[in-house]
Amino acid sequence: MFAKSSLLVALTTALSVMTSSTPINVVERAANASPTITLCTAVNFGGICVKPAVVSDTCINFTGGLTTVNEEVSSAVVPAGFICTFFDAFGCTTSDPANSDKDEVGLVGGSYSSFGSLSGINGPLNFNDKASSFSCSPL
């Protein structure tokens, strides 16, 4: 009887320790999660939307799992605390360096419901269905 009672106490203690530590692990995991950027193929966050992780100062090409949005991005949500630059060519470069004010656009954290009417370096810029890559940096 003593052995069964000791086993029951040991199992109960082990289960209570595992149960009480689960919320801590979930909170830690959430705190370490990478921010994401939302990219949609239609204005007003419609069409197909993807949410790739933002990796600071890394060029993300719209290839592989992001092929759907290559030259199709019409709206986006940039995470707070970041500036993301979109480029009209792969490799986070511009197709025409002499006209880079039309081949790339930088967006600070916020919601952009239409890439057809963005503010570029030299005023209004239509970047709808042009982006092929992007890079984000913390502010």
Side-chain angles (χ1 to χ4, degrees):
M1 180 74 169
F2 179 72
K4 287 182 184 179
S5 171
S6 296
L7 180 59
L8 182 60
V9 169
L11 286 174
T12 304
T13 303
L15 286 174
S16 69
V17 168
M18 287 191 309
T19 304
S20 67
S21 68
T22 301
I24 295 169
N25 291 336
V26 171
V27 170
E28 287 174 4
R29 198 173 307 131
N32 293 329
S34 294
T36 60
I37 185 169
T38 302
L39 307 169
C40 299
T41 60
V43 297
N44 297 316
F45 317 105
I48 297 169
C49 294
V50 296
K51 293 184 176 189
V54 171
V55 182
S56 294
D57 302 316
T58 299
C59 180
I60 306 293
N61 290 312
F62 295 152
T63 57
L66 297 176
T67 301
T68 304
V69 295
N70 184 45
E71 296 182 347
E72 296 291 333
V73 175
S74 295
S75 56
V77 179
V78 175
F82 284 87
I83 180 169
C84 296
T85 304
F86 292 84
F87 300 87
D88 73 342
F90 294 124
C92 295
T93 59
T94 62
S95 60
D96 183 6
N99 290 311
S100 64
D101 60 328
K102 296 181 181 97
D103 294 345
E104 64 183 75
V105 64
L107 304 174
V108 296
S111 297
Y112 299 88
S113 61
S114 175
F115 268 39
S117 58
L118 296 173
S119 295
I121 295 169
N122 292 324
L125 177 64
N126 180 352
F127 215 71
N128 191 51
D129 296 343
K130 291 186 179 181
S132 288
S133 61
F134 75 96
S135 178
C136 297
S137 299
L139 291 173

